Amino acid sequence: MTVRTRMAPSPTGEYHIGSMRTMLFNFAWAKKNNGQFVLRIEDTDRTRLVEGSLERTLQVVKDFGLSWDEGPVVGGPYAPYVQSERLSLYQEYANKLLESGHAYYCFCTPERLTQVREEQQKAGAPLTHYDKFCLKNSKEESEARVKAGEKHVIRYKMPADEEIQFNDLFLGPITFHTKDLDDYVMLKSDGFPTYHLAVVVDDHLMNMTYIMRGVEWIPSTPKHILLYKAFGWEMPLTGHLPNLKEVGAHKKLSKRDGTVDARLFLEEGYLPEALLNFLMLLGWNPGTEKEIYSLEEFISAFSLERVHKTDLISFDREKLLWFNGVYIRQMSVEDLWLQIVKWAATYGVDLGIDDRDHDYIIKVVALTQERLRLFSEFNELTSYFFTEPKVDKELLNK
C-alpha cells in the first residue's frame, strides 16, 4: 500500500503556525514511506473566503521549505484539487445517499431553525439538534417540492441508537453515540457541500491512507465514520494531533497572545529552517536528547509511535528564539549577511547601512552574530556602526 497523506487548507485568512506543524507531520510521514503528500484546497465556505489568501498560503508553504506531490499548480491524477471545482462530484454522492436512505431533503427556513434552537435552549437542552421535521415527508412529496424549485438542503439521516468507536492513531479507542449527533447538512442550498461530505468524498476518491489533523476535529470523526459506512468504503487510518498553546495557558494558541500567522514569523526574521526544527518537536519526541534536526533527519527519525498523546502542547516562544539563534550562529558570516539582505529585500526593511563597503559590513555582522536572535534585531544591534550619534548639547552642558 502506498502511503498517501494530505493537508487541506482553507483560503479564509493567513496560514496558522499550528497548521504548518500539522502539515509538516503529514509531509514527513509520506516522505518517510516513499509515498505522496497531497495539498487540497477546501474553499466551499464561500462566506469566509479572503482574497489573495490561497496564493499567500501556497507561497508560505514553499517559503518554509515544504512542497507537495499533487495539488494546485503541480496537478496530479485526481485533479482538480480545489473543492469549488468538484461540485458535481459532491452532488452525485449526496444523491447516492438520498437513494440509499441515508439522507433526506430539508425545506426548513432559517427562521424555523432559529426558533427550534431557541426553544431547545430554553428547555435546558445541553446540545441543540435539528428536530427531524422534514424526515416525515414522503420521497414523492420531497422530490416534487425540489422539482418545483423550492429552496432546500440535503441532511444526513443520523441512526437513532448506535455506538461508534474508532481507534485513534495517537489517542487510542474513542467512543461516540449517535444520540449526541445531529442530522447535519451535507449539501447546502447553493449546491456547495459542507466540510463533512466534501472531505470524505475527496479523501476516498484521492486514495488517502492516513488522516492526521488537530484534536479539534475529533467530534467530526463519527460523522465521517458513518459516511464511509453508508458508502461502503474503508476509512483511512485517522489520528488527532495536539493543538498548540502558549506556555502556562489552557487553550489553543491565539493571535491575542502573539504572532500565530506562519508568514509573520518569517517577516519577524525567523529562519524557516529554525521554525521547522522547532515545530518538529511540538507533539513529537525523538526519545533522545537531540534537538537540532534538518528536514531530512526529521523525516528519517519521524514515527507515529512517538507522537504525544495529549490535546495541547506548549508553544514556547523563548525556545523558538533559542532555536533561531542556534541556526544564526551555525552560519558563516558571509551567508548570514546574504540571508539578512534577502530578508530585508523581501519585507521592505531598511538596514540603515548607507554606502559602507562590504568588508566593513562583514566585520559588523561578525561582531553581532553571537547576540543576534532575529533578523529584525539587526538594526538595533548595529545602528551605531553606521549612524553618527545625535548628541543633546544642552544635556551635556547640564
Side-chain angles (χ1 to χ4, degrees), residues 8 23 29 36-37 66 68 77 120 125 128 141 167 195 228 303 324:
M23 178 179 291
W29 188 239
Q36 289 96 40
F37 173 66
L66 302 180
W68 53 98
Q120 290 178 0
T128 60
E141 178 190 349
N167 196 42
Y195 169 76
Y228 276 97
S303 67
N324 209 56

PDB file of all heavy atoms in Angstrom, residues 8 23 29 36-37 66 68 77 120 125 128 141 167 195 228 303 324:
ATOM      1  N   ALA A   8      -5.321  20.098   3.881  1.00  0.00           N
ATOM      2  CA  ALA A   8      -6.374  20.749   3.100  1.00  0.00           C
ATOM      3  C   ALA A   8      -6.686  22.127   3.662  1.00  0.00           C
ATOM      4  O   ALA A   8      -7.697  22.327   4.344  1.00  0.00           O
ATOM      5  CB  ALA A   8      -7.626  19.871   3.097  1.00  0.00           C
ATOM      6  N   MET A  23       0.933  20.111   8.874  1.00  0.00           N
ATOM      7  CA  MET A  23       1.383  19.832   7.520  1.00  0.00           C
ATOM      8  C   MET A  23       2.748  19.153   7.533  1.00  0.00           C
ATOM      9  O   MET A  23       2.987  18.192   6.787  1.00  0.00           O
ATOM     10  CB  MET A  23       1.446  21.126   6.695  1.00  0.00           C
ATOM     11  CG  MET A  23       1.948  20.916   5.273  1.00  0.00           C
ATOM     12  SD  MET A  23       1.987  22.434   4.280  1.00  0.00           S
ATOM     13  CE  MET A  23       0.241  22.762   4.073  1.00  0.00           C
ATOM     14  N   TRP A  29       5.623  11.968   7.132  1.00  0.00           N
ATOM     15  CA  TRP A  29       5.177  10.564   7.115  1.00  0.00           C
ATOM     16  C   TRP A  29       5.090  10.034   5.683  1.00  0.00           C
ATOM     17  O   TRP A  29       5.466   8.893   5.408  1.00  0.00           O
ATOM     18  CB  TRP A  29       3.840  10.431   7.825  1.00  0.00           C
ATOM     19  CG  TRP A  29       3.408   9.008   8.016  1.00  0.00           C
ATOM     20  CD1 TRP A  29       2.261   8.419   7.555  1.00  0.00           C
ATOM     21  CD2 TRP A  29       4.106   7.980   8.739  1.00  0.00           C
ATOM     22  NE1 TRP A  29       2.207   7.099   7.937  1.00  0.00           N
ATOM     23  CE2 TRP A  29       3.321   6.800   8.670  1.00  0.00           C
ATOM     24  CE3 TRP A  29       5.315   7.943   9.425  1.00  0.00           C
ATOM     25  CZ2 TRP A  29       3.721   5.597   9.252  1.00  0.00           C
ATOM     26  CZ3 TRP A  29       5.714   6.743  10.019  1.00  0.00           C
ATOM     27  CH2 TRP A  29       4.918   5.595   9.923  1.00  0.00           C
ATOM     28  N   GLN A  36       3.113   9.759  -1.192  1.00  0.00           N
ATOM     29  CA  GLN A  36       2.783  11.057  -1.772  1.00  0.00           C
ATOM     30  C   GLN A  36       2.096  11.947  -0.745  1.00  0.00           C
ATOM     31  O   GLN A  36       1.257  11.484   0.031  1.00  0.00           O
ATOM     32  CB  GLN A  36       1.856  10.904  -2.986  1.00  0.00           C
ATOM     33  CG  GLN A  36       2.517  10.316  -4.212  1.00  0.00           C
ATOM     34  CD  GLN A  36       2.296   8.819  -4.309  1.00  0.00           C
ATOM     35  OE1 GLN A  36       1.208   8.329  -4.018  1.00  0.00           O
ATOM     36  NE2 GLN A  36       3.319   8.084  -4.715  1.00  0.00           N
ATOM     37  N   PHE A  37       2.483  13.219  -0.775  1.00  0.00           N
ATOM     38  CA  PHE A  37       1.836  14.229   0.051  1.00  0.00           C
ATOM     39  C   PHE A  37       0.995  15.111  -0.864  1.00  0.00           C
ATOM     40  O   PHE A  37       1.487  15.648  -1.851  1.00  0.00           O
ATOM     41  CB  PHE A  37       2.867  15.069   0.795  1.00  0.00           C
ATOM     42  CG  PHE A  37       2.266  16.236   1.523  1.00  0.00           C
ATOM     43  CD1 PHE A  37       1.404  16.035   2.593  1.00  0.00           C
ATOM     44  CD2 PHE A  37       2.544  17.536   1.129  1.00  0.00           C
ATOM     45  CE1 PHE A  37       0.828  17.115   3.256  1.00  0.00           C
ATOM     46  CE2 PHE A  37       1.984  18.620   1.790  1.00  0.00           C
ATOM     47  CZ  PHE A  37       1.121  18.405   2.855  1.00  0.00           C
ATOM     48  N   LEU A  66       8.738  23.384   2.275  1.00  0.00           N
ATOM     49  CA  LEU A  66       7.935  22.193   2.008  1.00  0.00           C
ATOM     50  C   LEU A  66       7.389  22.258   0.586  1.00  0.00           C
ATOM     51  O   LEU A  66       7.384  23.301  -0.055  1.00  0.00           O
ATOM     52  CB  LEU A  66       6.793  22.082   3.018  1.00  0.00           C
ATOM     53  CG  LEU A  66       7.206  22.017   4.495  1.00  0.00           C
ATOM     54  CD1 LEU A  66       5.974  21.902   5.381  1.00  0.00           C
ATOM     55  CD2 LEU A  66       8.161  20.874   4.763  1.00  0.00           C
ATOM     56  N   TRP A  68       4.579  19.859  -2.365  1.00  0.00           N
ATOM     57  CA  TRP A  68       3.529  18.855  -2.465  1.00  0.00           C
ATOM     58  C   TRP A  68       3.682  18.093  -3.780  1.00  0.00           C
ATOM     59  O   TRP A  68       4.124  18.637  -4.797  1.00  0.00           O
ATOM     60  CB  TRP A  68       2.145  19.473  -2.315  1.00  0.00           C
ATOM     61  CG  TRP A  68       1.834  20.635  -3.217  1.00  0.00           C
ATOM     62  CD1 TRP A  68       1.150  20.614  -4.392  1.00  0.00           C
ATOM     63  CD2 TRP A  68       2.177  22.021  -3.007  1.00  0.00           C
ATOM     64  NE1 TRP A  68       1.053  21.876  -4.924  1.00  0.00           N
ATOM     65  CE2 TRP A  68       1.655  22.753  -4.099  1.00  0.00           C
ATOM     66  CE3 TRP A  68       2.861  22.708  -1.991  1.00  0.00           C
ATOM     67  CZ2 TRP A  68       1.808  24.132  -4.216  1.00  0.00           C
ATOM     68  CZ3 TRP A  68       3.023  24.078  -2.110  1.00  0.00           C
ATOM     69  CH2 TRP A  68       2.496  24.784  -3.207  1.00  0.00           C
ATOM     70  N   PRO A  77      -3.090  13.042 -10.683  1.00  0.00           N
ATOM     71  CA  PRO A  77      -4.083  12.139 -11.278  1.00  0.00           C
ATOM     72  C   PRO A  77      -5.501  12.326 -10.762  1.00  0.00           C
ATOM     73  O   PRO A  77      -6.448  11.786 -11.355  1.00  0.00           O
ATOM     74  CB  PRO A  77      -3.554  10.747 -10.906  1.00  0.00           C
ATOM     75  CG  PRO A  77      -2.721  10.963  -9.689  1.00  0.00           C
ATOM     76  CD  PRO A  77      -2.105  12.315  -9.861  1.00  0.00           C
ATOM     77  N   GLN A 120     -35.167  24.790  22.261  1.00  0.00           N
ATOM     78  CA  GLN A 120     -34.385  23.740  22.911  1.00  0.00           C
ATOM     79  C   GLN A 120     -33.479  24.334  23.991  1.00  0.00           C
ATOM     80  O   GLN A 120     -33.301  23.738  25.056  1.00  0.00           O
ATOM     81  CB  GLN A 120     -33.558  22.985  21.861  1.00  0.00           C
ATOM     82  CG  GLN A 120     -34.405  22.131  20.924  1.00  0.00           C
ATOM     83  CD  GLN A 120     -33.579  21.418  19.860  1.00  0.00           C
ATOM     84  OE1 GLN A 120     -32.353  21.546  19.809  1.00  0.00           O
ATOM     85  NE2 GLN A 120     -34.245  20.667  18.998  1.00  0.00           N
ATOM     86  N   ALA A 125     -31.733  22.114  27.051  1.00  0.00           N
ATOM     87  CA  ALA A 125     -31.032  21.042  26.324  1.00  0.00           C
ATOM     88  C   ALA A 125     -29.538  21.331  26.299  1.00  0.00           C
ATOM     89  O   ALA A 125     -29.132  22.449  25.952  1.00  0.00           O
ATOM     90  CB  ALA A 125     -31.569  20.929  24.903  1.00  0.00           C
ATOM     91  N   THR A 128     -28.188  21.519  21.067  1.00  0.00           N
ATOM     92  CA  THR A 128     -29.351  21.742  20.202  1.00  0.00           C
ATOM     93  C   THR A 128     -29.180  20.931  18.930  1.00  0.00           C
ATOM     94  O   THR A 128     -28.099  20.902  18.343  1.00  0.00           O
ATOM     95  CB  THR A 128     -29.505  23.227  19.857  1.00  0.00           C
ATOM     96  OG1 THR A 128     -28.332  23.679  19.187  1.00  0.00           O
ATOM     97  CG2 THR A 128     -29.714  24.052  21.113  1.00  0.00           C
ATOM     98  N   GLU A 141     -43.232  13.456  -2.152  1.00  0.00           N
ATOM     99  CA  GLU A 141     -43.510  14.850  -1.819  1.00  0.00           C
ATOM    100  C   GLU A 141     -42.236  15.691  -1.894  1.00  0.00           C
ATOM    101  O   GLU A 141     -42.227  16.789  -2.465  1.00  0.00           O
ATOM    102  CB  GLU A 141     -44.102  14.945  -0.411  1.00  0.00           C
ATOM    103  CG  GLU A 141     -44.376  16.372   0.028  1.00  0.00           C
ATOM    104  CD  GLU A 141     -44.733  16.483   1.506  1.00  0.00           C
ATOM    105  OE1 GLU A 141     -44.964  15.443   2.149  1.00  0.00           O
ATOM    106  OE2 GLU A 141     -44.760  17.623   2.017  1.00  0.00           O
ATOM    107  N   ASN A 167     -10.351   3.634  16.641  1.00  0.00           N
ATOM    108  CA  ASN A 167      -9.053   3.582  17.299  1.00  0.00           C
ATOM    109  C   ASN A 167      -8.168   4.678  16.726  1.00  0.00           C
ATOM    110  O   ASN A 167      -7.645   4.559  15.622  1.00  0.00           O
ATOM    111  CB  ASN A 167      -8.413   2.207  17.092  1.00  0.00           C
ATOM    112  CG  ASN A 167      -7.270   1.976  18.066  1.00  0.00           C
ATOM    113  OD1 ASN A 167      -7.373   2.309  19.240  1.00  0.00           O
ATOM    114  ND2 ASN A 167      -6.182   1.420  17.587  1.00  0.00           N
ATOM    115  N   TYR A 195     -18.289  20.684   4.999  1.00  0.00           N
ATOM    116  CA  TYR A 195     -16.995  20.029   5.202  1.00  0.00           C
ATOM    117  C   TYR A 195     -17.116  18.508   5.240  1.00  0.00           C
ATOM    118  O   TYR A 195     -16.323  17.794   4.610  1.00  0.00           O
ATOM    119  CB  TYR A 195     -16.376  20.546   6.501  1.00  0.00           C
ATOM    120  CG  TYR A 195     -15.176  19.765   6.969  1.00  0.00           C
ATOM    121  CD1 TYR A 195     -13.938  19.921   6.354  1.00  0.00           C
ATOM    122  CD2 TYR A 195     -15.284  18.854   8.017  1.00  0.00           C
ATOM    123  CE1 TYR A 195     -12.832  19.197   6.781  1.00  0.00           C
ATOM    124  CE2 TYR A 195     -14.181  18.133   8.453  1.00  0.00           C
ATOM    125  CZ  TYR A 195     -12.953  18.306   7.830  1.00  0.00           C
ATOM    126  OH  TYR A 195     -11.869  17.576   8.250  1.00  0.00           O
ATOM    127  N   TYR A 228     -18.502   6.917   5.615  1.00  0.00           N
ATOM    128  CA  TYR A 228     -17.742   5.841   4.972  1.00  0.00           C
ATOM    129  C   TYR A 228     -18.557   4.553   4.968  1.00  0.00           C
ATOM    130  O   TYR A 228     -18.591   3.814   3.970  1.00  0.00           O
ATOM    131  CB  TYR A 228     -16.406   5.632   5.695  1.00  0.00           C
ATOM    132  CG  TYR A 228     -15.309   6.566   5.236  1.00  0.00           C
ATOM    133  CD1 TYR A 228     -15.015   7.729   5.935  1.00  0.00           C
ATOM    134  CD2 TYR A 228     -14.566   6.280   4.089  1.00  0.00           C
ATOM    135  CE1 TYR A 228     -14.010   8.587   5.508  1.00  0.00           C
ATOM    136  CE2 TYR A 228     -13.563   7.130   3.658  1.00  0.00           C
ATOM    137  CZ  TYR A 228     -13.292   8.290   4.370  1.00  0.00           C
ATOM    138  OH  TYR A 228     -12.305   9.135   3.939  1.00  0.00           O
ATOM    139  N   SER A 303       8.295   9.022  13.621  1.00  0.00           N
ATOM    140  CA  SER A 303       7.454   7.820  13.760  1.00  0.00           C
ATOM    141  C   SER A 303       6.153   8.212  14.437  1.00  0.00           C
ATOM    142  O   SER A 303       6.110   9.136  15.263  1.00  0.00           O
ATOM    143  CB  SER A 303       8.165   6.747  14.597  1.00  0.00           C
ATOM    144  OG  SER A 303       8.308   7.174  15.942  1.00  0.00           O
ATOM    145  N   ASN A 324      16.350  29.807  16.761  1.00  0.00           N
ATOM    146  CA  ASN A 324      16.749  30.709  15.687  1.00  0.00           C
ATOM    147  C   ASN A 324      18.177  31.209  15.903  1.00  0.00           C
ATOM    148  O   ASN A 324      18.959  31.307  14.957  1.00  0.00           O
ATOM    149  CB  ASN A 324      15.779  31.892  15.617  1.00  0.00           C
ATOM    150  CG  ASN A 324      15.664  32.451  14.210  1.00  0.00           C
ATOM    151  OD1 ASN A 324      15.349  31.725  13.278  1.00  0.00           O
ATOM    152  ND2 ASN A 324      15.916  33.737  14.064  1.00  0.00           N
TER     153      ASN A 324
END
